Amino acid sequence: MSIEEMYQEMKKKLVDIVPDVELRYKAELAYEINRLKREKNAVILGHNYMEPALYYSIPDFVGDSLDLSRKAAQTDKDIIVFCGVRFMAETAKILNPKKTVLLPSEKAGCSLAASITADDVRQLRARFPGVPAVAYVNTYADVKAEVDICCTSSNAVAVVESLGSDTVIFLPDEYLARNVARETGKHIIFPTLDGPKEAAATEIDYQMIGWHGRCEVHEKFTVQDIQAVRQQFPDVVILSHPECSPEVVAASDFSGSTNAMIRYVKETRAPRYLVLTECAMGDNIAAANPDKEMLRLCSVRCPHMNQITLEDTLKSLQTNQYVIDLPEELRLRAYRSVERMIAIG
Ligand code: 13P
Ligand code: SF4
């Protein structure tokens, strides 16, 4: 494919989303990335939050965290370039120790992954001995290594139910945990680690034990936002990610992972939609559904996902940066948790 053909391909999808002058420039970058990708036998995985010009030009696969973990597990390419955030690239490395995994920006972190350490998990498990522990995939490898199983927003309820246990530790997203507790009919507590040890034994009325991690994007959406949008657009259908508060989820028409929200818009017929999640995904859905109107609340952005640009992805392939490496002993322990999750689906 020539640069002109690349530009025409992108234009088909993005004519109403990205101004032409930018599209031409981005098509040149995308062309060079795709050329290098073939030359180096690399695969590019792109999260649903990538900006439209990247999302629609260079990834071999796009999807939510669970989907991309599965794709990472299946690839036979030598290099995996992860257009997403660090915990996602680490998951790809956990599943592919022999392959080179590259993350295009060192700054692509995540407030949830930064909210808990491996030592926090050890202390919590010591406080509630014998209770199985689930870590959201939005955690670093050392935290995954301390738990029994991982989950994503797609399979959190199924993972909790698969444990067949009355009590479950669920880390680190407070809101996802509250939403899962509501769906599974469990009562949740949020213990502090510095209280007296005996307190745990007296906290008998719990079934889920959570942690106070928050997604810095989804925690910002409020019920007032929803009310204001509904007042202005009474026919709007509102979708929220389960990292939003339970009140926001309850006030929405649908809640699900990024893939589930994309599917919902595709398969339903409403005059307009609002997705309460990273704004770029609204652009990507709008591009795929030109007959549907997408409202967006774009003052709330994920500063980590936004680090990943076409420019940095090109540099990543040119210079082999930034390589994700994990100590083998740690990787093996984290692998168990990720593998158990993938087996559940
Ligand atoms: P998904 O697994 O739904 O794609 O979510 C990932 C994420 O980081 C949401 O903020
Ligand atoms: Fe992390 Fe939230 Fe950004 Fe997702 S949107 S990567 S959970 S900070």
Side-chain angles (χ1 to χ4, degrees):
M1 184 185 283
S2 66
I3 295 179
E4 181 59 25
E5 284 164 343
M6 183 85 239
Y7 160 73
Q8 293 298 342
E9 272 298 298
M10 291 167 74
K11 193 173 168 167
K12 262 191 239 157
K13 279 267 155 51
L14 301 172
V15 65
D16 293 328
I17 311 275
V18 184
D20 210 46
V21 56
E22 178 153 297
L23 211 50
R24 284 212 171 267
Y25 160 69
K26 293 205 167 175
E28 282 176 32
L29 288 169
Y31 170 84
E32 185 54 17
I33 292 168
N34 285 335
R35 193 191 65 72
L36 263 181
K37 179 173 76 175
R38 284 190 298 277
E39 187 180 298
K40 296 193 137 186
N41 196 30
V43 64
I44 298 184
L45 305 180
H47 187 262
N48 291 327
Y49 288 165
M50 291 297 103
E51 61 120 345
L54 187 157
Y55 182 86
Y56 283 109
S57 63
I58 59 166
D60 298 282
F61 301 101
V62 289
D64 65 6
S65 321
L66 181 62
D67 216 10
L68 294 179
S69 308
R70 289 207 199 96
K71 293 293 185 303
Q74 290 159 3
T75 187
D76 58 359
K77 301 288 183 190
D78 298 324
I79 299 175
I80 300 171
V81 182
F82 216 116
C83 290
V85 291
R86 185 176 184 92
F87 74 79
M88 296 178 178
E90 277 195 2
T91 305
K93 184 68 184 179
I94 289 167
L95 291 162
N96 291 286
K98 298 225 158 60
K99 297 187 197 299
T100 301
V101 177
L102 302 176
L103 180 66
S105 167
E106 268 185 316
K107 295 187 197 139
C110 169
S111 66
L112 279 173
S115 73
I116 191 160
T117 65
D119 194 46
D120 293 331
V121 184
R122 283 191 290 270
Q123 285 190 53
L124 208 53
R125 298 204 75 166
R127 200 172 161 96
F128 297 95
V131 178
V134 182
Y136 193 27
V137 77
N138 298 35
T139 46
Y140 292 121
D142 57 344
V143 165
K144 290 184 172 79
E146 296 294 335
V147 298
D148 299 293
I149 188 164
C150 289
C151 76
T152 73
S153 58
S154 290
N155 60 15
V157 169
V159 165
V160 166
E161 286 176 344
S162 79
L163 295 170
S165 171
D166 289 340
T167 52
V168 174
I169 297 173
F170 189 102
L171 309 165
D173 185 357
E174 174 187 338
Y175 286 160
L176 180 66
R178 286 191 191 278
N179 286 319
V180 171
R182 206 203 46 222
E183 242 186 277
T184 54
K186 291 186 186 295
H187 175 229
I188 187 163
I189 59 161
F190 293 86
T192 51
L193 290 178
D194 44 13
K197 275 247 160 33
E198 316 76 66
T202 63
E203 288 162 337
I204 44 169
D205 187 25
Y206 62 82
Q207 290 147 333
M208 257 175 93
I209 297 139
W211 187 255
H212 281 297
R214 296 272 185 90
C215 162
E216 66 189 290
V217 179
H218 293 98
E219 71 169 346
K220 297 214 175 74
F221 297 117
T222 64
V223 174
Q224 287 74 21
D225 292 334
I226 294 182
Q227 286 165 345
V229 174
R230 286 203 197 278
Q231 196 168 18
Q232 191 181 353
F233 303 99
D235 54 3
V236 68
V237 168
I238 300 185
L239 291 71
S240 59
H241 194 275
E243 290 167 12
C244 293
S245 74
E247 294 75 24
V248 164
V249 167
S252 307
D253 299 295
F254 175 81
S255 178
S257 77
T258 55
N259 264 17
M261 290 192 278
I262 290 171
R263 212 178 311 122
Y264 186 94
V265 177
K266 188 172 166 215
E267 291 172 1
T268 57
R269 196 140 291 281
R272 49 173 70 88
Y273 298 85
L274 169 69
V275 284
L276 296 177
T277 198
E278 159 57 35
C279 174
M281 202 175 95
D283 289 335
N284 294 335
I285 298 178
N289 299 272
D291 54 331
K292 292 172 186 166
E293 190 184 324
M294 298 301 297
L295 304 176
R296 275 151 267 181
L297 297 184
C298 289
S299 47
V300 183
R301 305 300 305 259
C302 175
H304 312 288
M305 288 286 184
N306 278 292
Q307 292 295 329
I308 307 296
T309 59
L310 283 167
E311 287 86 343
D312 283 347
T313 307
L314 177 58
K315 203 158 172 203
S316 175
L317 272 167
Q318 284 168 334
T319 62
N320 254 19
Q321 70 181 20
Y322 294 89
V323 176
I324 302 289
D325 260 326
L326 296 169
E328 183 59 8
E329 176 276 333
L330 176 82
R331 187 198 67 82
L332 277 172
R333 286 191 293 127
Y335 178 78
R336 262 187 341 163
S337 309
V338 175
E339 184 58 17
R340 281 184 75 187
M341 168 187 82
I342 289 181
I344 285 178

